[in-house]
């Protein structure tokens, strides 16, 4: 596959960031370290200011890491034009009889920067207390969004009675909400790259609360379904943005732990809601209070985010810093690199729809893992129907009490999260032994174990839940395996996609999210017919067989993933870093070529053939 111009520009920036000389680093340690096309045009022939920092490299190892991260962030930002735009119409007059003003002496001198690796403005330098409070606040925001997706499942029967439709039609309220999860990230993710993390989160929680309030006072079924969709659309923002906030706040050593904890809120939220919704629906409050409760939670999250959430996105922090300096110094030339970005509709479509779809349908790793994860995610929402069949239909429990049985799955998910966290020391040792270069396949043993556990949990659930003479605790305990498998698959499969695709990880995850959200919306719609027609035991057996048939997918990638990635046009491959000899100069081009696999080297060289050659000494296109 031939990469387009934008793909090549992103990959070139990432490869350039990973290949910088060890003798020097750029002065800028933020997104301002990345030169966009607009700035490159204005300073052709002028090298970027440099400062000899050889003695600082050991003292501040985070400096290099942040420069590389900043380059990747800026090159991947929606709206960054990958090439100079060619204008066909003539340049307009300046106006008022004035001549065109001279260019700024050196544009880079007016670009604000972070003040070294310990700058308190950078989110990674916040106090531990502030980080934990921010994480708790955003964890509640994310859980509120996930909580709202499933609480409506307990109200579907009451909604059907009130509006005179079948329970299958009223179940569309759950499906439409999850469809909002599928479409929302295409708007919220690029907005978070352009305007920072705080603005999308505040806006989304306001809209989320409004539409849940509207759902609570709906007068007809159409309004119920429309408001549920837009509640899901706005509620998708925390799922798409909060993980990025954690990446802004935590460094490489702690980021994995933070993302794991965040992911647990995403998957436990839908399972905490059914028993609360069941008790509300059967009480004097009625089904509308399932939306009132979620709306109140949304308003609380909105207030917390509005007044206590600080911006974490480094480029936007520098925009605010530049604005303050302009006001106080009256120097209009001071600006942040992010302010040079102009929105490009073609690039917006490419990065947020075209590229994710290309990855989804042309990359075997993304395609097969997305199918696997879509099936698992669909079953997460199918359980909202399957559990009532067993615990209400067979064991005669009330909706609220039956919802408590989901705590079996919640416990399994918590065990999976703890297991992933306990693997971190093992993973760090392997990473250090490999010269700091991650091997994506290290993530897959947990996925394989989770797949086996999930399939076993489905068989256990079906063959212990269809008879009333089997104690209800037996099918409840099957959730330990199902929850463990679900969380293990998701946590490590997402990490595998990130490790495998690096600069294109956001697009890979976007395609994955799109497919699994469609499955989450569709599975509940046929679950009732399936369990009614086949019976609980045989419906669960069929699902368990499909789950077992999908287990070989991560096994194949564990054995042959490195070969598949070497032939990919998107997945970079690197060899382990080897220490340089003392006093050695920059590596030769032949040495650098030997650090990548031969097949991948050919693809990457051909993909970058049309790009300007980067002089790593002058840091400018030559």
């Amino acid at each position: 596959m031939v990469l387009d111009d934008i793909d090549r520009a992103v990959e070139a920036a990432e490869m350039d960031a990973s290949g910088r000389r060890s003798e020097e680093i750029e002065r800028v340690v933020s997104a301002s370290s990345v030169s966009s096309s607009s700035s490159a045009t204005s300073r052709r022939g002028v090298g970027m200011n440099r400062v000899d920092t050889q003695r600082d490299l050991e003292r501040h190892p985070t400096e290099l890491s942040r420069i590389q991260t900043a380059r990747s962030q800026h090159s991947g930002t929606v709206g960054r034009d990958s090439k100079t735009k060619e204008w066909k119409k003539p340049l307009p007059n300046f106006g008022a009889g004035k001549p065109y003003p001279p260019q700024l002496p050196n544009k880079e001198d007016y670009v604000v920067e972070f003040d070294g690796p310990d700058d308190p403005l950078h989110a990674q330098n916040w106090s531990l207390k502030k980080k934990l409070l921010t994480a708790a606040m955003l964890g509640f925001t994310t859980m509120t969004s996930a909580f709202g997706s499933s609480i409506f499942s307990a109200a579907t029967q009451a909604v059907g009675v009130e509006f005179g439709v079948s329970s299958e039609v009223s179940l569309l309220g759950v499906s439409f909400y999850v469809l909002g999860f599928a479409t929302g990230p295409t708007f919220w993710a690029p907005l978070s790259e352009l305007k920072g993390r705080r603005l999308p989160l505040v806006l989304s929680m306001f809209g989320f609360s409004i539409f849940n309030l509207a759902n609570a006072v709906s007068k007809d079924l159409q309004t119920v379904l429309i408001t549920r969709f837009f509640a899901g659309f706005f509620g998708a923002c925390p799922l798409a943005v909060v993980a990025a906030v954690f990446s802004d706040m935590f460094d490489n050593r702690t980021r994995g732990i933070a993302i794991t904890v965040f992911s647990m809120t995403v998957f436990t939220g839908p399972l905490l809601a059914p028993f609360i919704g069941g008790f509300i629906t059967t009480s004097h409050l009625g089904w509308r209070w399932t939306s009132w409760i979620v709306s109140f939670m949304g308003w609380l999250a909105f207030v917390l985010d509005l007044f206590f959430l600080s911006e974490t996105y480094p480029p936007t922090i520098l925009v605010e810093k530049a604005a303050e300096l302009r006001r106080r110094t009256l120097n209009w030339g001071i600006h942040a690199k992010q302010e040079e970005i102009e929105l490009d509709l073609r690039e917006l479509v490419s990065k947020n729809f075209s590229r994710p779809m290309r990855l989804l349908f042309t990359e075997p790793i993304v395609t097969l893992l997305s199918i696997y994860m879509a099936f698992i995610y669909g079953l997460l929402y199918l359980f909202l129907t399957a559990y009532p069949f067993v615990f209400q239909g067979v064991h005669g429990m009330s909706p609220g009490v039956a919802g408590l049985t989901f705590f079996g799955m919640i416990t399994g998910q918590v065990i999976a999260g703890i297991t992933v966290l306990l693997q971190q020391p093992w993973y760090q040792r392997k990473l250090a032994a490999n010269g700091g270069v991650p091997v994506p396949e290290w993530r897959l043993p947990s996925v394989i174990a989770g797949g086996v556990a999930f399939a076993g949990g489905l068989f256990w659930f079906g063959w212990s839940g269809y008879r009333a003479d089997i104690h209800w605790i037996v099918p409840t305990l099957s959730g330990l395996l199902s929850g463990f498998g679900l969380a293990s698959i998701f946590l490590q499969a997402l990490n595998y996609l990130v490790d495998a695709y690096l600069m294109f990880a956001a697009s890979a995850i976007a395609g994955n999210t799109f497919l699994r959200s469609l499955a989450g919306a569709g599975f509940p719609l046929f679950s009732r017919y399936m369990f009614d027609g086949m019976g609980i035991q045989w419906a669960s057996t069929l699902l368990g067989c499909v789950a077992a048939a999908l287990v070989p997918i991560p096994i194949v990638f564990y054995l042959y993933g490195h070969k598949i990635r070497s032939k990919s046009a998107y997945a970079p491959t690197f060899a382990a870093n080897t220490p340089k000899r003392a006093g050695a100069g920059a590596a030769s081009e032949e040495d650098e070529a030997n650090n990548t696999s031969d097949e991948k080297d050919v693809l990457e060289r051909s993909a970058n053939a049309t790009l300007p050659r980067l002089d790593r000494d002058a840091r400018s296109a030559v």
Side-chain angles (χ1 to χ4, degrees), residues 140-142 144-145 177 188 199-212 231 234-238 294-295 297-303 305-306:
F140 173 75
T141 301
T142 305
T144 297
S145 175
Y177 191 101
W188 299 112
L199 179 64
L201 286 168
V202 172
L203 288 179
S204 66
M205 281 299 99
F206 180 80
F208 175 83
S209 305
I210 288 291
F211 280 104
N212 273 289
F234 282 91
C237 179
V294 176
S295 180
M297 295 172 65
W299 285 119
L300 176 58
F302 167 72
V303 171
D305 295 342
L306 178 64

Side-chain angles (χ1 to χ4, degrees), residues 434-515:
N434 198 46
V437 178
V439 176
E441 283 69 32
W442 292 342
R443 307 283 190 180
L444 292 179
S446 294
V447 179
I448 297 170
V452 174
F454 189 79
L458 289 175
F459 290 124
W460 182 351
F461 175 77
W463 289 97
S464 64
Y466 77 104
R467 290 170 50 180
D469 58 339
I470 300 177
H471 197 276
W472 59 266
I473 195 63
V474 179
T476 300
L477 291 177
S478 70
L480 294 175
L481 285 183
S482 301
F484 175 85
L486 188 149
S488 296
I489 293 169
F490 264 90
L491 292 177
Q492 294 294 57
L494 287 176
N495 282 327
Y496 178 70
L497 288 177
V498 172
D499 289 346
Y501 288 91
L502 294 180
M503 64 287 266
F504 298 121
S507 295
I509 292 176
N512 175 278
T513 301
F514 178 78
L515 185 63

Side-chain angles (χ1 to χ4, degrees), residues 326-363:
R326 282 197 300 270
R327 288 194 304 269
R328 300 179 65 173
T329 65
L330 302 181
N331 187 335
W332 54 265
I334 296 175
H335 67 284
K337 211 68 177 179
Q338 190 80 352
E339 294 177 286
E340 298 176 3
I341 293 174
E342 295 182 3
L343 186 62
D344 188 315
L345 182 60
R346 176 178 175 273
E347 187 183 1
L348 182 67
V349 173
S350 174
K351 286 186 176 180
N352 291 275
F353 183 76
S354 173
R355 188 193 297 153
M357 293 301 104
R358 276 184 283 147
L359 283 165
L360 179 61
F361 293 112
T362 63
E363 287 289 307

